Amino acid sequence: MLETETESTLRQPSFTKFWVSRTLSSTSFQMLSVAIGWQMYVLTHDAYSLGLVGLAQFLPMMLLTLVVGQVADRFDRRKIVFLCQIIESGIAALLLVGNLAGWLGRNEILVAAAILGACRAFEGPSSSSLLPMLVPKELMQKAIAWTTSTGQTSQIIGPTLGGVLIAAGPVFVYVTAAVALFVAGILTFLIRMERIVRKPEPLTARSIFSGLVFVRRNPVILGTISLDLFAVLLGGATALLPIFAEDILHTGPLGLGVMRTAPAVGALLMSIALVYFPLKKALGPILFGALGVFGLATMLFAVSTNLIISLVALLLIGGSDVISVVIRSSLVQLQTPDEMRGRVNAVNSLFIGTSNQLGEFESGTLAGMIGPVQAAFVGGIGTVVVAGLWMFLFPSLRRLRSLSNE
């Protein structure tokens, strides 16, 4: 009976609109990222310009962290997400026009990438903060597992679909993304929920930094998101996949594509499993156990010279990482007051973005110094060491039994 009620709640119209909108938005962003990167390289044949595209998307998130949190806590989060998706749709349309008219160049692509990055900076925390207003507290973990599966599905479908459409012509990518983002915005606008009147505190230095202060004073949340930050930072073996595909496994572009998909497939499967079998007890030990698997799988991938074994390791990396994501996201949503969710989710988003971006930088730099196999193996060891260290630095996290009680 409980499972029936759960599935019925997750199928309610508001959550369904939210889920479909988020799926369309995430998939479109992945498609646009592939298309923009490809076009930049075709136009410039310059690796530095290609790197600037990623930087243009990341910098707005880093620079706007404190601003987006304030906005999400002071204004209607549904309208913020709607506006971001409509602007993103407009950027895709402009890229389409630029291609057809022939004026799209390096600078225009960088501006488009920066605007998309800024929109995602606002959309992410606002969308995450919107979720607790759509489902009851006791179903939050299942809802987060569903939305996490959305992100992983988008990482699988988005780049693949983007690549197929690029082969037909960049305009097809931009048309598809523009339409999908517009539909996502309309669905978000149509979400209906009980109106919550918030009385935000005056805009002061204290209120601006209150998200950081809240995280710092909550050892469970601080321990969880910092653990994820350093674990992913050190265990970023996926950034080295092109080297492993070409020089170690000798699989070529096809093998690289399969390996890039494997972590997302593992994450998607684990997300679906957590929907039907949510984590209820011993969350702390489960979290640290998952990070241990993440580190060991990274080490296995590092020493593997067989594609099948490497794919299994990558599946384990993606699946174990999702456990941390679901626990962290659930804790942030359930242990943060509604009037502060925007600011806290903005800090959480910064931690996630930093771990992914700096993790790739760390892995690439270390691989250049000591070699890719050694770098990946050392990263896996580092993840295990960090997990063990955090068990002693954050005993409340180690003893965590449920999402509501420490």
Side-chain angles (χ1 to χ4, degrees), residues 12-30 77-86 88 120 123-124 126-128 130 134 146-147 150-151 154 177-192:
Q12 64 180 324
S14 292
F15 181 80
T16 300
K17 292 186 181 75
F18 173 85
W19 187 84
V20 174
S21 172
R22 189 155 175 163
T23 300
L24 290 173
S25 179
S26 298
T27 302
S28 297
F29 181 75
Q30 294 292 333
R77 293 161 183 164
R78 179 178 58 90
K79 292 181 179 178
I80 295 171
V81 175
F82 163 74
L83 288 174
C84 288
Q85 291 169 339
I86 294 301
E88 291 164 12
R120 296 294 291 183
E123 182 183 348
S126 298
S127 180
S128 297
L130 190 62
L134 303 178
W146 270 114
T147 54
T150 296
S154 298
V179 172
L181 285 164
F182 183 79
V183 172
I186 297 301
L187 288 173
T188 299
F189 186 79
L190 292 176
I191 292 175
R192 294 291 176 261

Side-chain angles (χ1 to χ4, degrees), residues 17-337:
K17 292 186 181 75
F18 173 85
W19 187 84
V20 174
S21 172
R22 189 155 175 163
T23 300
L24 290 173
S25 179
S26 298
T27 302
S28 297
F29 181 75
Q30 294 292 333
M31 291 169 54
L32 288 173
S33 295
V34 170
I36 288 174
W38 180 84
Q39 276 211 288
M40 175 63 86
Y41 193 72
V42 168
L43 288 170
T44 66
H45 294 285
D46 177 24
Y48 176 70
S49 296
L50 192 60
L52 287 179
V53 173
L55 184 64
Q57 292 178 338
F58 172 70
L59 280 180
M61 182 184 68
M62 182 181 68
L63 298 176
L64 295 172
T65 297
L66 300 178
V67 176
V68 300
Q70 288 288 334
V71 171
D73 285 337
R74 290 174 179 274
F75 301 98
D76 188 331
R77 293 161 183 164
R78 179 178 58 90
K79 292 181 179 178
I80 295 171
V81 175
F82 163 74
L83 288 174
C84 288
Q85 291 169 339
I86 294 301
I87 294 173
E88 291 164 12
S89 176
I91 293 299
L94 283 175
L95 288 169
L96 168 64
V97 172
N99 269 271
L100 294 175
W103 51 257
L104 189 67
R106 176 179 181 272
N107 292 336
E108 289 78 12
I109 290 177
L110 289 177
V111 170
I115 296 175
L116 286 172
C119 287
R120 296 294 291 183
F122 280 93
E123 182 183 348
S126 298
S127 180
S128 297
S129 301
L130 190 62
L131 182 58
M133 303 164 68
L134 303 178
V135 295
K137 181 178 180 180
E138 61 272 14
L139 299 178
M140 183 57 60
Q141 186 187 146
K142 284 180 178 265
I144 289 175
W146 270 114
T147 54
T148 301
S149 71
T150 296
Q152 302 305 327
T153 302
S154 298
Q155 290 184 34
I156 298 171
I157 297 176
T160 302
L161 183 57
V164 171
L165 292 175
I166 285 174
V171 294
F172 293 99
V173 179
Y174 299 132
V175 168
T176 303
V179 172
L181 285 164
F182 183 79
V183 172
I186 297 301
L187 288 173
T188 299
F189 186 79
L190 292 176
I191 292 175
R192 294 291 176 261
M193 64 187 72
E194 181 181 352
R195 180 174 177 80
I196 298 178
V197 179
R198 292 188 295 269
K199 295 182 178 179
E201 57 186 294
L203 186 59
T204 61
R206 179 182 178 277
S207 69
I208 291 175
F209 292 98
S210 57
L212 291 168
V213 173
F214 181 88
V215 171
R216 173 65 181 83
R217 291 180 177 176
N218 189 314
V220 170
I221 294 180
L222 175 62
T224 304
I225 65 177
S226 60
L227 174 62
D228 186 77
L229 165 64
F230 287 103
V232 176
L233 179 67
L234 294 173
T238 53
L240 305 177
L241 288 182
I243 302 176
F244 277 84
E246 182 68 19
D247 300 333
I248 298 172
L249 299 174
H250 307 291
T251 61
L254 180 59
L256 173 60
V258 174
M259 285 195 292
R260 284 186 64 90
T261 303
V265 172
L268 175 61
L269 293 175
M270 181 58 70
S271 299
I272 295 173
L274 292 177
V275 170
Y276 295 99
F277 304 98
L279 304 173
K280 296 180 178 180
K281 298 180 180 179
L283 295 189
I286 289 175
L287 174 63
F288 286 108
L291 263 296
V293 171
F294 183 96
L296 292 174
T298 301
M299 295 161 65
L300 174 62
F301 173 79
V303 300
S304 170
T305 56
N306 180 277
L307 179 60
I308 300 300
I309 295 176
S310 297
L311 290 176
V312 170
L314 291 170
L315 286 169
L316 290 173
I317 288 173
S320 58
D321 184 50
V322 158
I323 295 177
S324 172
V325 170
V326 170
I327 292 177
R328 181 193 66 237
S329 299
S330 300
L331 286 170
V332 169
Q333 302 292 19
L334 294 176
Q335 297 196 10
T336 304

Side-chain angles (χ1 to χ4, degrees), residues 338-390:
D338 179 71
E339 63 273 12
M340 286 196 62
R341 279 201 182 102
R343 281 164 284 181
V344 175
N345 274 306
V347 174
N348 188 31
S349 296
L350 178 62
F351 272 65
I352 296 171
T354 301
S355 65
N356 291 330
Q357 299 291 333
L358 293 185
E360 293 183 3
F361 176 76
E362 178 273 335
S363 296
T365 302
L366 192 59
M369 295 172 59
I370 64 175
V373 173
Q374 295 85 344
F377 193 83
V378 169
I381 293 176
T383 297
V384 175
V385 170
V386 166
L389 181 61
W390 255 240

